[in-house]
């Protein structure tokens, strides 16, 4: 997607930066650290910096994300639910359109709630905050307006494809002021409404422009000259105006005939000056008959060109289908000289240029909420077909990239990261890899938070994220001197290598201080210790220590058996041999012989292999002596036993 | 059932939700605690009736800023509650209605849980028995507090070499704790030695943390624990420490388990997979009011007489907390919303 570069330029007010140059590094996910930097290489001259002395600053740049505002977080979370619900129905084979329309309306109701909530906030906010919230209000009002039109044109399935009724509804919904005016006048029930209310004609014409003919008739009936035959004729003409309805029982051609006929009648009445008693009435009737000049005259009663567009369609081309809309829209917009941002988006929508629409809505400064959710809806409707300049269909890439952008923004938030994480799964190409990278870099916190991060990784089968997060947490525990907890994390992540590392720490600490930590934990390891040889050794050695404590009770036999099995098991780490061999001395010297001749041979063999540890040098003679004495003893006893 | 559910988005992830107890009448106000924000809140809510459709909706009465994540909220009387935080602080707060609704701090035990390197440790759970409060934390320390005294009654340091995740008073002199590896320990508080009287294991095969504990409201010796793997384990601690039943319930970590306070044949559980389940054994208890020594929870795996119903469609984010009073259930979720379910069938 080659886009026109419209990068934002941010000036850093720092003199050192200005003189030396800049460098920037990412800090976390949506922050950049900017600092002064001058490149030095092997060929640079080794002289004191020309900039010194100076005050060096690191500037922290962060994208402003309005979605993180509490008032808008509701929108973020609630729409996330709708998004995920849409992804769920995607796989069913039924016709998705009616379902999608329901979800589109749900999105709009969320937007509506958000706009209403913002209105409350604006009222309550302090003057310095007010412009900000007013700005948000405009943004989301526009979003809602565009969403509504998109829903009409692309999501809703209109039988017969005649879009006028929905278009009128949309216009009425967004420009309710004149209808409100009319209902106020009607509520007064006066007999000369035009004399009592200066806005009488404005209301009547406003309603006529929105196609609210019933309201217009009620207003006319309250006019001071309502008894005049001109008003009677007008009332009759308006009442009999054919309005196209798909279910009305007429085909489009038939309807057109009837409508043309009615129009002809009315224009002949106008020509015969039937309505000349009241200038406004005559203008109104000329509008209704479809006179373009009058339409433009009344543009003073409209706020946007599309209001006028709806009126023009209503009175001049009531059966227009979507493809014809573009022509009418273009004509009106051009003549109106529509130049507001929203005008462009709406025009592009009407011209069915969705690529342009998406380009435009990306600039709505809502941090991509709108673009991501709307494109997803259209994508699922199958209404999206975007061709880049090389005539390659890039629809799914565009869809994915917009969602990825939005999700990554959320991942940068301390609380909304869970919400953001749930979008990645629905980006088939890059989603999971991106999520993996982001999950690994989320700042950890309490174990509750760590568990939540791991939970997400588990759901998405990212074993390496589980391992790496557990390891980070484990290392933190080691730094805090909590080996037991570090081991727990290693076991939870099933990380054998890390468990070995921690078991080593335990053994080394024992070698140094002669005390085994975290007995309560090691005691209850059970089969978990099999995850690593070192841990198995640690577990067995702990058991040996336990026997050791019961020496006094004459439990030498079990201790001896365990010690010998440890010595021959080949699990012993190198640094631990001296301790194991030292432990053997009292057993060799025990009052009753607890080690058999075979065991003693094993001991002698291990001492030959591993007895060269410097820490053991002072004990080696003692060991040999004890071994020799025990061997003599044991052979003696075994010999006696053999005799029997 | 879904039409009974009403959700309110509150722009904060809800970590705890608790009814404010009332005597003899239905509870009508409640507290929520949030987590994962730089500054979190404990919010006091009540129900307001909308005149248009005669429905009642939760509205905020007052909100109290709270440092760290709210990890637990427990009422010890009608207006006094204990709140614990992830920075290791425990506070005793009072709800005052006059002249305007606010929380008044009665006592604060600051940084009760901490690591040796002057780093704070999260106070992960608290349990209360009348005026007594027991707290456990990631530092593996048990603190025994009482509501009218600033100095802890007793501190058992290094009671566990892993971080502890749940605690429950079995009786006034006995507490049960569960840690990161699912080691469950019973502590007899009358014993002055800092060693547990019994240790047993949540699950022999998988190393998973004990996330939540609940005891039967009338038979305190019956204890249910939720595991990080979504399992529910039931013990009858009178007999032995071997679980009487163990069920693979939720598809991921159980967040909270609650017995219905007045109708203990109903149990509620929620999980980080967004599920909310109702376990009901009503038919059984109606037939025989007290079936002697075997409690229904003991037999759920073998006889399968219990109805398990899902109370709402699976949510997309973890449900962190539930509380139930009479026929109204509240739950809070990580999608920054809390929900009210009315007229539950208990």
């Amino acid at each position: 997607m080659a886009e026109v570069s419209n990068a934002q330029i941010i000036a850093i007010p720092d003199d050192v930066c200005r003189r030396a140059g800049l460098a920037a590094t990412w800090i976390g996910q949506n922050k950049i650290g900017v600092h002064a930097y001058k490149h030095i290489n092997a060929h640079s001259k080794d002289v004191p910096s020309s900039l010194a002395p100076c005050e060096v600053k690191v500037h922290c740049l962060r994208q402003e994300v309005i979605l993180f505002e509490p008032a808008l977080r509701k929108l973020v979370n609630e729409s996330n639910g709708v998004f995920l619900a849409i992804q769920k129905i995607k796989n069913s084979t039924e016709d998705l359109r009616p379902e999608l329309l329901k979800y589109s309306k749900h999105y709009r109701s969320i937007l509506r709630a958000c706009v209403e909530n913002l209105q409350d906030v604006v009222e309550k906010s302090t003057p310095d905050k007010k412009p900000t919230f007013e700005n948000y209000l405009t943004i989301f009002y526009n979003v809602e307006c565009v969403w509504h039109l998109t829903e009409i044109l692309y999501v809703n399935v209109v039988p017969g494809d005649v879009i006028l009724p929905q278009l009128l509804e949309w216009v009425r919904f967004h420009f309710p002021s004149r209808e409100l005016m009319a209902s106020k006048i009607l509520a007064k029930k006066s007999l000369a409404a035009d004399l009592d209310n200066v806005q009488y004609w404005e209301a009547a014409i406003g309603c006529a422009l929105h196609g609210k003919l019933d309201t217009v008739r009620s207003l006319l009936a309250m006019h001071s000259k309502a008894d005049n035959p001109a008003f009677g004729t007008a009332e009759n003409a308006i009442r009999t105006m054919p309005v196209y309805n798909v279910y009305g029982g007429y085909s489009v051609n038939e309807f057109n005939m009837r409508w043309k006929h009615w129009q002809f009648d009315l224009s002949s009445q106008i020509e015969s000056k039937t309505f000349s008693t009241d200038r406004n009435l005559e203008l109104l009737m000329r509008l209704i008959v479809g006179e373009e000049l009058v339409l433009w005259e009344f543009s003073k009663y409209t706020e946007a060109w599309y209001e006028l567009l709806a009126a023009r369609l209503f009175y001049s081309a009531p059966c227009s289908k979507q493809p014809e809309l573009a022509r009418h829209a273009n004509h009106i917009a051009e003549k109106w000289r529509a130049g507001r941002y929203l005008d462009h988006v709406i025009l592009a929508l009407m011209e069915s240029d969705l690529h342009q629409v998406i380009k435009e809505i990306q600039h709505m400064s809502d941090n991509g909420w709108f673009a991501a959710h709307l494109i997803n809806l259209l994508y699922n409707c199958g209404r999206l077909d975007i061709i880049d300049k090389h005539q390659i269909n890039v629809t799914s890439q565009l869809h994915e990239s917009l969602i990825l952008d939005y999700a990554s923004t959320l991942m940068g938030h301390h609380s909304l990261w869970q919400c953001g994480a749930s979008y990645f799964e629905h980006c088939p190409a890059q989603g999971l890899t991106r999520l993996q990278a982001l999950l690994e870099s989320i700042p950890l916190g309490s174990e509750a938070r760590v568990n939540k991060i791991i939970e997400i990784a588990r759901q998405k089968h990212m074993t390496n994220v589980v391992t790496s997060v557990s390891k980070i947490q484990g290392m933190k525990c080691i730094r805090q001197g909590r080996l037991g907890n570090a081991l727990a994390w290693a076991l939870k992540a099933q990380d054998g290598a890390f468990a070995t590392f921690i078991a080593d720490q335990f053994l080394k600490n024992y070698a140094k201080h002669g005390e085994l930590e975290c007995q309560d934990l090691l005691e209850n390891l059970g089969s978990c210790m099999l995850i690593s040889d070192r841990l198995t050794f640690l577990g067995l050695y702990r058991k040996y220590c336990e026997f050791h404590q019961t020496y006094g009770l004459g439990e030498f036999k079990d201790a001896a058996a365990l010690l010998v099995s440890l010595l021959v098991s080949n699990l012993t780490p190198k640094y631990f041999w001296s301790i194991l061999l030292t432990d053997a001395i009292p057993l060799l010297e025990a009052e009753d012989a607890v080690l058999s001749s075979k065991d003693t041979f094993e001991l002698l063999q291990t001492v030959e292999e591993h007895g060269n540890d410097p820490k053991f040098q002072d004990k080696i003679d003692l060991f040999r002596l004890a071994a020799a004495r025990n061997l003599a003893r044991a052979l003696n006893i075994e010999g006696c036993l053999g005799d029997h | 059932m879904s039409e009974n559910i009403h959700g309110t988005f509150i722009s904060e992830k809800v970590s705890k939700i608790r009814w404010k107890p009332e005597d003899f009448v239905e509870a009508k106000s409640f507290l929520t605690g949030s987590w994962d924000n730089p500054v979190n809140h404990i919010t006091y809510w009540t129900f307001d009736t909308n005149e248009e459709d005669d429905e009642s909706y939760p509205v905020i009465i007052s909100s109290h800023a709270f440092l760290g994540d709210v990890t637990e909220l427990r009422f010890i009387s009608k207006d006094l509650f204990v709140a614990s935080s992830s920075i290791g602080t425990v506070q005793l707060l009072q709800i005052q209605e006059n002249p305007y609704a606010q929380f008044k701090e009665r006592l604060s035990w600051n940084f009760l849980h901490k690591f040796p390197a002057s780093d704070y440790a999260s106070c992960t759970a608290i349990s209360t028995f009348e005026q007594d409060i027991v707290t456990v934390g990631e530092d593996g320390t048990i603190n025994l507090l009482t509501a009218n005294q600033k100095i802890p009654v007793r501190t058992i340091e290094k009671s566990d070499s892993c971080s502890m995740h749940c605690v429950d008073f079995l009786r006034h002199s006995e507490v049960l704790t569960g840690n990161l590896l699912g080691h469950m320990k019973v502590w007899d508080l009358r014993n002055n030695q800092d060693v547990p009287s019994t240790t047993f294991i949540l699950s022999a095969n998988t190393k998973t943390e004990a996330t939540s504990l609940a005891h039967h409201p009338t038979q305190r010796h019956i204890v249910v624990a939720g595991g990080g793997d979504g399992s529910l384990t039931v013990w009858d601690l009178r007999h032995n420490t071997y679980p009487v039943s163990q069920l693979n319930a939720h598809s991921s970590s159980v967040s909270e388990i609650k017995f219905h306070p007045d109708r203990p044949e109903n149990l509620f559980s929620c999980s980080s997979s967004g599920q909310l389940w109702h376990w009901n054994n009503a038919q059984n208890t109606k037939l025989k009011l007290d079936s002697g020594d075997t409690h229904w929870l003991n037999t759920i795996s073998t006889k399968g007489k219990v109805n398990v119903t899902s109370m709402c469609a699976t949510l997309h984010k973890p449900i962190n907390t539930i509380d139930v009073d009479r026929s109204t259930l509240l739950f809070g979720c990580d999608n920054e919303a809390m929900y009210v379910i009315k007229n539950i069938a208990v």
Side-chain angles (χ1 to χ4, degrees):
Chain A
M1 299 281 311
E3 293 277 347
V4 188
S5 159
N6 44 10
Q8 202 182 351
I9 294 173
I10 301 157
I12 308 282
D14 186 328
D15 190 50
V16 187
C17 290
R18 188 182 56 77
R19 284 188 292 156
L22 276 178
T25 327
W26 285 100
I27 321 171
Q29 284 161 23
N30 50 10
K31 271 192 258 172
I32 307 173
V34 181
H35 56 92
Y37 175 78
K38 201 170 197 175
H39 189 63
I40 303 286
N41 61 18
H43 306 291
S44 316
K45 237 186 200 167
D46 191 9
V47 288
S49 165
S50 60
L51 300 163
C54 64
E55 199 181 316
V56 184
K57 287 180 191 152
V58 178
H59 303 270
C60 202
L61 287 187
R62 179 171 60 88
Q63 184 200 7
E64 199 198 341
V65 184
I66 66 165
L67 294 175
F68 297 164
E69 190 65 42
L72 297 175
R73 272 166 72 170
K74 295 177 187 180
L75 169 87
V76 172
N77 279 297
E78 210 174 349
S79 56
N80 175 245
V82 181
F83 178 89
L84 294 173
I86 293 179
Q87 313 314 310
K88 242 185 214 165
I89 61 156
K90 207 161 68 174
N91 300 326
S92 66
T93 45
E94 294 160 43
D95 185 19
L96 293 182
R97 279 300 194 78
E99 280 293 302
L100 287 172
L101 179 65
K102 213 176 78 195
Y103 286 119
S104 174
K105 286 189 171 149
H106 196 163
Y107 273 129
R108 279 204 296 121
S109 75
I110 297 170
L111 276 167
R112 204 64 328 239
C114 171
V115 167
E116 278 167 17
N117 187 17
L118 279 171
Q119 278 164 343
D120 282 355
V121 175
V122 167
E123 273 169 35
K124 285 179 197 150
S125 58
T126 51
D128 58 318
K129 281 261 186 159
K130 214 167 189 157
T132 327
F133 285 117
E134 273 167 355
N135 185 22
Y136 296 166
L137 195 59
T138 321
I139 293 172
F140 285 95
Y141 170 77
N142 286 349
V143 168
E144 210 259 299
C145 181
V146 176
W147 193 297
H148 195 165
L149 183 63
T150 316
E151 183 183 299
I152 291 167
L153 297 178
Y154 299 95
V155 186
N156 200 356
V157 195
V158 188
D161 225 11
V162 176
I163 42 151
L164 182 64
Q166 276 88 1
L167 209 60
L168 281 172
E169 211 173 284
W170 173 64
V171 165
R172 285 174 201 156
F173 186 79
H174 288 279
F175 303 100
S177 67
R178 298 209 167 66
E179 276 160 54
L180 275 176
M181 219 184 264
S183 57
K184 265 186 209 155
I185 296 171
L186 289 174
K188 283 186 197 160
K189 293 202 167 89
S190 71
L191 285 172
D194 59 321
L195 305 176
D196 297 345
N197 301 285
V198 271
Q199 290 170 321
Y200 174 85
W201 281 109
E202 185 183 347
I205 288 159
C207 287
L209 288 170
H210 286 182
K212 294 282 266 185
L213 293 177
D214 290 343
T215 321
V216 177
R217 278 170 50 208
S218 325
L219 279 173
L220 289 183
M222 287 168 82
H223 194 272
S224 54
K225 287 187 266 179
D227 297 338
N228 190 304
F231 278 83
T233 322
E235 208 275 333
N236 195 38
I238 296 171
R239 189 164 45 82
T240 51
M241 176 179 176
V243 175
Y244 183 75
N245 180 352
V246 200
Y247 308 108
Y250 297 107
S251 72
V252 173
N253 287 335
E254 222 172 318
F255 168 81
N256 266 332
M257 235 168 62
R258 280 164 45 89
W259 175 65
K260 282 265 158 68
H261 189 76
W262 168 87
Q263 208 179 26
F264 181 77
D265 273 358
L266 183 57
S267 63
S268 59
Q269 278 168 342
I270 295 170
E271 267 165 42
S272 59
K273 307 275 179 214
T274 318
F275 308 113
S276 56
T277 42
D278 191 299
R279 198 189 105 77
N280 279 315
L281 181 68
E282 192 174 2
L283 279 176
L284 176 70
M285 295 322 280
R286 282 168 67 193
L287 168 75
I288 290 175
V289 88
E291 265 187 53
E292 174 115 11
L293 263 175
V294 185
L295 183 74
W296 282 101
E297 198 171 309
F298 286 148
S299 66
K300 64 184 174 205
Y301 293 141
T302 60
E303 287 156 55
W305 62 271
Y306 29 93
E307 236 183 313
L308 213 57
L309 172 70
R312 183 185 149 108
L313 288 180
F314 187 66
Y315 295 115
S316 310
C319 291
S320 292
K321 298 191 175 176
Q322 199 179 338
E324 298 157 48
L325 184 62
R327 188 170 49 86
H328 293 291
N330 239 320
H331 172 78
I332 302 268
E334 211 166 281
K335 203 162 170 193
W336 180 280
R337 282 191 225 115
R340 286 183 312 155
Y341 168 71
L342 192 58
D343 296 336
H344 295 304
V345 185
I346 288 173
L347 187 60
L349 260 177
M350 291 184 172
E351 288 175 333
S352 301
D353 186 355
L354 284 180
H355 191 181
Q356 185 62 31
V357 173
I358 286 157
K359 252 191 214 172
E360 295 278 358
I361 61 179
Q362 278 180 274
H363 301 301
M364 264 201 178
S365 41
D366 64 334
N367 308 113
W369 179 90
F370 185 29
H373 288 89
L374 188 73
I375 200 173
N376 181 259
L377 186 73
L378 292 174
Y379 185 73
N380 285 320
C381 281
R383 294 303 295 260
L384 214 52
D385 229 349
I386 288 167
I387 312 285
D388 76 350
K389 61 179 177 189
H390 304 297
Q391 298 302 312
I392 301 164
N393 191 328
V394 289
T395 316
S396 50
Q397 280 104 307
L398 181 66
H399 170 241
E400 175 158 337
S401 93
L402 287 175
I403 294 177
L404 280 178
D405 278 355
Y406 174 67
S408 309
T409 310
L410 291 188
M411 284 295 277
H413 188 258
H414 51 80
S415 174
L416 291 171
W417 58 272
Q418 275 172 300
C419 182
S422 53
Y423 284 91
F424 289 98
E425 204 180 342
H426 308 289
C427 302
Q430 279 186 36
L432 290 180
T433 16
R434 181 90 77 102
L435 177 62
Q436 189 166 333
L438 291 172
L439 270 186
E440 278 173 327
S441 61
I442 282 187
L444 305 179
S446 68
E447 282 185 352
R449 186 175 154 106
V450 176
N451 274 330
K452 290 251 157 95
I453 298 172
I454 288 181
E455 195 91 46
I456 292 179
R458 281 237 166 87
Q459 272 167 20
K460 312 274 189 285
H461 308 290
M462 296 175 180
T463 344
N464 47 346
V465 178
V466 177
T467 321
S468 85
V469 171
S470 301
K471 199 175 255 173
I472 295 169
Q473 184 67 12
M475 289 310 288
K476 198 173 114 194
C477 295
I478 293 177
R479 275 198 303 278
Q480 287 167 335
R482 303 162 63 219
L483 281 182
N485 211 36
L487 185 59
W489 280 103
L491 291 175
K492 270 168 68 78
Q494 306 262 308
D495 188 342
F498 192 38
T500 304
F501 174 79
I502 297 165
D504 261 337
Q505 302 288 316
F506 270 107
L507 292 171
K508 280 179 182 157
N509 284 353
Y510 177 77
K512 222 186 265 170
H513 308 295
E515 197 184 337
L516 211 49
E517 300 162 73
C518 306
Q519 295 262 6
D520 63 314
L521 170 69
L522 298 177
E523 198 177 330
N524 292 304
L525 278 183
S527 60
C528 280
M529 65 167 81
L530 297 176
I531 195 172
S532 111
D533 285 353
R534 196 57 46 85
L535 191 61
T536 314
F537 178 81
L538 175 65
L540 292 175
Y541 190 74
R542 187 209 63 84
K543 209 164 178 194
Y544 167 76
C545 287
E546 201 178 87
F547 286 136
H548 208 285
Q549 283 158 0
T550 54
Y551 265 7
L553 304 171
E555 301 271 346
F556 288 104
K557 265 250 150 43
D558 294 337
L562 194 57
L563 187 69
V564 172
S565 71
L566 273 179
L567 284 169
V568 300
S569 65
N570 265 336
L571 294 172
T572 317
K574 211 168 155 234
Y575 58 83
F576 213 72
W577 277 111
S578 63
I579 295 171
L580 269 193
L581 290 172
T582 315
D583 280 343
I585 298 176
L587 290 174
L588 291 167
E589 294 275 337
E591 222 165 279
D592 299 319
V594 289
L595 292 161
S596 67
S597 58
K598 208 170 146 237
D599 292 340
T600 320
F601 281 128
E602 296 279 8
L603 283 179
L604 283 169
Q605 198 179 341
T606 44
V607 91
E608 282 314 305
E609 280 172 38
H610 304 287
N612 50 2
D613 190 316
K615 276 184 260 168
F616 191 58
Q617 285 319 304
D618 52 339
K619 296 189 195 106
I620 195 155
D621 289 337
L622 196 64
F623 183 90
R624 288 220 165 95
L625 186 63
R629 283 224 293 249
N630 188 60
L631 189 59
R633 209 157 48 147
L635 283 173
N636 232 337
I637 295 169
E638 283 158 29
C640 292
L641 284 176
D643 282 349
H644 290 288
Chain B
M1 272 196 101
S2 61
E3 59 269 23
N4 289 335
I5 299 182
H6 181 257
T8 310
F9 283 82
I10 63 169
S11 300
E12 284 180 312
K13 293 193 276 194
V14 187
S15 61
K16 286 293 159 200
I17 197 159
R18 294 287 176 253
W19 281 111
K20 177 173 179 284
E22 297 287 344
D23 297 332
F24 315 117
V25 289
E26 216 166 313
K28 51 184 183 291
S29 45
F30 62 93
L31 296 176
T32 58
S34 73
W35 77 286
D36 227 5
N37 274 330
V39 176
N40 292 292
H41 293 94
I42 299 178
T43 311
Y44 181 34
W45 299 77
T46 191
F47 284 95
D48 196 17
T49 309
N50 190 327
E51 278 163 21
E52 279 167 36
D53 50 4
D54 207 33
E55 282 283 324
S56 56
Y57 299 102
V59 285
I60 296 178
I61 301 177
S62 70
S63 192
H64 179 85
F66 194 76
L67 269 184
D69 302 340
V70 178
T71 54
E72 184 63 276
L73 295 170
R74 292 260 179 185
F75 275 93
I76 58 167
S77 72
K78 262 177 76 177
D79 57 349
L80 276 176
F81 68 94
V82 191
S84 61
S85 97
S86 65
I87 57 166
T89 298
V90 176
Q91 286 182 322
L92 179 69
L93 298 163
Q94 184 171 27
I95 301 175
Q96 288 191 328
E97 305 280 359
N98 290 316
Y100 54 91
Q102 60 165 345
F103 296 150
K104 193 167 184 233
E105 189 185 297
R106 286 274 158 208
L107 266 179
S108 177
W109 295 272
N110 292 330
F111 308 110
L112 202 56
H113 291 273
K114 55 184 176 297
F115 295 124
S118 77
D119 223 359
Y120 57 73
S122 173
C123 172
T124 50
I126 55 180
S127 179
T128 55
F129 191 98
E130 287 165 4
Q131 298 290 298
D132 291 341
I133 305 155
V134 63
T135 75
V136 294
E138 281 183 17
D139 57 350
T141 302
I142 301 176
N143 284 295
L144 211 68
L145 313 168
T146 181
N148 43 32
Q149 183 183 324
K150 172 90 180 157
I151 301 157
V153 178
R154 182 166 174 201
T155 299
I156 308 176
E157 264 175 50
K158 298 234 167 112
S159 58
D160 201 310
S161 17
C162 293
S163 47
M164 294 196 274
H165 282 245
C166 53
V167 66
D168 195 25
F169 262 109
L170 295 177
R171 62 182 107 188
H172 73 282
S173 62
E174 212 168 45
V175 291
L176 175 65
T177 62
N179 77 3
L180 187 62
L181 279 181
H183 297 166
M184 316 294 295
K185 294 176 187 176
V186 180
W187 303 82
D188 188 343
L189 302 173
R190 292 167 300 192
N191 185 344
N192 280 328
Q193 278 174 328
D194 291 349
V195 285
S197 53
T198 324
T199 302
F200 51 100
I201 302 212
L202 180 68
S203 153
N205 311 321
T206 47
K207 283 294 140 189
T208 184
E209 69 267 32
T211 52
S212 174
L213 270 177
H215 60 256
H216 191 282
T218 52
Q219 294 164 273
R220 284 185 95 104
H221 51 87
I222 294 196
V223 173
V224 188
D229 57 349
S231 64
L232 285 190
T233 312
V234 186
W235 289 276
D236 184 340
L237 292 177
R238 281 176 309 179
H239 300 309
N240 50 31
T241 50
Y242 193 75
V244 284
S245 59
Q246 184 160 36
L247 304 146
N248 291 328
H250 293 286
S251 50
S252 67
S253 174
V254 178
S255 331
E256 209 166 88
I257 310 170
K258 268 268 150 65
F259 276 99
H260 192 286
D262 315 320
R263 296 174 182 276
E265 66 272 18
N266 294 284
L267 180 76
F268 301 91
S269 64
C270 63
S271 82
S272 64
S273 52
Q275 294 162 321
L276 174 65
W277 288 0
H278 178 188
W279 308 67
N280 178 297
N281 191 40
Q283 314 97 316
N284 207 7
T285 42
K286 268 175 198 158
L287 285 173
K288 28 183 181 176
L289 268 174
D290 190 9
S291 53
D293 266 3
T294 47
H295 186 261
W296 65 273
L297 275 171
N298 301 2
T299 53
I300 31 183
S301 54
T302 48
K303 293 185 186 160
K305 276 182 188 162
V306 172
N307 287 329
V308 184
T309 43
S310 185
M311 301 200 62
C312 65
T314 306
L315 294 182
H316 311 291
K317 298 284 173 302
I319 298 179
N320 293 325
T321 175
I322 35 179
D323 201 12
V324 60
D325 176 77
R326 306 212 176 187
S327 66
T328 313
L329 184 134
L330 302 170
F331 67 99
C333 180
D334 269 349
N335 67 358
E336 304 194 341
M338 55 158 198
Y339 297 83
V340 183
I341 307 183
K342 288 176 187 159
N343 308 323
I344 50 172
V346 288

